[in-house]
Amino acid sequence: MVRMPQLDDVLDRMHVVALPMRVRFRGITIREVALIEGPAGWGEFGAFLEYEPPEAAHWLASALEAAYEPPPQARRDRIPINATVPAVDAAQVPEVLARFPGARTAKVKVAEPGQTLADDTARVNAVRAIVPTVRVDANGGWSVDEAVAAAAALTADGPLEYLEQPCATVAELAELRRRVEVPIAADESIRKAEDPLRVVREKAADVAVLKVAPLGGVRALLAIAAQIDLPVVVSSALDSAVGIGRGLLAAAALPDLRHACGLGTGGLFAEDVAEPVPPDDGYLSIGPVVPDPARLSALAAPPERRRWWIDRVRACHPLTR
């Protein structure tokens, strides 16, 4: 983790915003994040509200790295991104995909509580009718047997690029990988694990999905990527424009980038802290993101929520050392 600045300096530089979303995603319709304006740029602390300090501290370290440390060297100036399709009804898919002009890859949320495999299949097929390459993300929602059945159903009408975190545990991923031909991608099994390299040792994945904030920053992500012999997909943790900028930087700094990255989630927000930049032919350009002062003011969280985030930073700050 980065060398931490003084707590008072961090709090003096912090803005807390509440970003309305176009559709419910990950169970929320308002995304709260704390933004920190530091000497090196803007950082984002957006650990999800249910995360306790030991886990949330990684997200704070990422924000402070961005705000206080110089960025790593980029190897490319634009990044291919995938469209992100929440667990919407199949009829809503064209509307969602319209927010991702030029995207040739789409990630589709599946295994949503309260929905069925038939719902997932209809959604995936609706996406497949518009976008040539489809990947799905189950967020660990299936057992191994359920994932085997889902893989069969979801590939009946066309291929999948990969199944992202179809099961919750590394052991389950390894078993599933032996039973299906669809490639397996690991997300939570890396970013929420005490040992993020276990998926490699147990041959549990074909692709690694890495997210800047949960791993503690761009440098931490690059360090993990250097130790695994797997293709890397850099993805968003439902970041604001500031966090997306760091994800793009991480993808730009990787020695090799074979897959579209999950960094197009800005289209899920009805309002953001910077003017939205639509993909250009399926790509986003890298570069520093500076929030619009008027947007920071208009999207400011209520005072009681700002106090909540201040308390959260106070709790996490000592754990980032």
Side-chain angles (χ1 to χ4, degrees):
M1 292 187 178
V2 300
R3 184 178 179 181
M4 290 300 107
Q6 294 296 311
L7 175 61
D8 288 347
D9 187 61
V10 174
L11 295 177
D12 286 344
R13 298 172 179 271
M14 191 170 80
H15 305 256
V16 180
V17 294
L19 308 179
M21 302 187 65
R22 296 182 187 276
V23 295
R24 181 177 294 274
F25 191 85
R26 205 184 175 280
I28 62 175
T29 55
I30 298 291
R31 177 71 165 118
E32 289 185 352
V33 299
L35 302 176
I36 300 164
E37 182 182 11
W42 285 80
E44 176 172 332
F45 175 40
F48 294 112
L49 304 188
E50 68 272 19
Y51 288 5
E52 295 296 328
E55 183 171 4
H58 295 285
W59 300 60
L60 180 59
S62 176
L64 298 180
E65 175 194 71
Y68 289 88
E69 299 288 329
Q73 185 66 41
R75 299 170 182 259
R76 52 191 68 82
D77 59 9
R78 65 177 196 155
I79 304 299
I81 59 101
N82 67 244
T84 299
V85 180
V88 297
D89 185 88
Q92 293 179 260
V93 164
E95 175 189 349
V96 173
L97 290 178
R99 303 182 195 126
F100 301 92
R104 299 169 181 82
T105 301
K107 180 171 83 169
V108 185
K109 289 291 184 179
V110 294
E112 183 82 357
Q115 295 188 359
T116 66
L117 181 55
D119 296 325
D120 293 339
T121 302
R123 186 182 313 113
V124 166
N125 284 337
V127 172
R128 192 176 274 132
I130 301 172
V131 176
T133 302
V134 181
R135 55 181 68 153
V136 301
D137 183 6
N139 290 115
W142 291 321
S143 68
V144 174
D145 287 342
E146 288 171 337
V148 170
L154 296 173
T155 58
D157 297 303
L160 290 175
E161 184 181 25
Y162 57 69
L163 296 168
E164 181 175 332
Q165 200 67 46
C167 306
T169 70
V170 172
E172 288 175 317
L173 294 183
E175 180 185 347
L176 177 65
R177 189 166 178 258
R178 293 190 293 267
R179 293 177 58 181
V180 300
E181 295 184 1
V182 183
I184 305 299
D187 174 10
E188 287 89 345
S189 289
I190 296 175
R191 66 179 169 89
K192 295 177 77 71
E194 292 185 7
D195 179 4
L197 303 182
R198 183 182 169 200
V199 293
V200 178
R201 289 197 307 274
E202 299 197 14
K203 299 180 180 180
D206 302 281
V207 176
V209 178
L210 303 184
K211 299 180 179 179
V212 171
L215 293 174
V218 171
R219 286 176 177 80
L221 182 151
L222 295 175
I224 290 174
Q227 297 177 68
I228 58 177
D229 187 24
L230 294 176
V232 168
V233 172
V234 180
S235 192
S236 161
L238 199 55
D239 304 318
S240 79
V242 171
I244 291 293
R246 295 298 288 182
L248 291 169
L249 175 61
L254 286 168
D256 185 38
L257 188 66
R258 305 182 206 173
H259 298 276
C261 288
L263 297 169
T265 54
L268 299 175
F269 294 112
E271 297 288 345
D272 206 339
V273 295
E275 182 67 27
V277 178
D280 179 11
D281 195 30
Y283 287 78
L284 286 174
S285 297
I286 72 163
V289 176
V290 178
D292 179 349
R295 289 171 179 259
L296 284 177
S297 177
L299 295 167
E304 66 274 14
R305 295 306 302 162
R306 175 176 171 79
R307 288 193 295 271
W308 187 91
W309 280 92
I310 288 173
D311 290 342
R312 193 181 205 197
V313 171
R314 290 185 185 278
C316 292
H317 187 268
L319 304 178
T320 59
R321 299 184 186 279

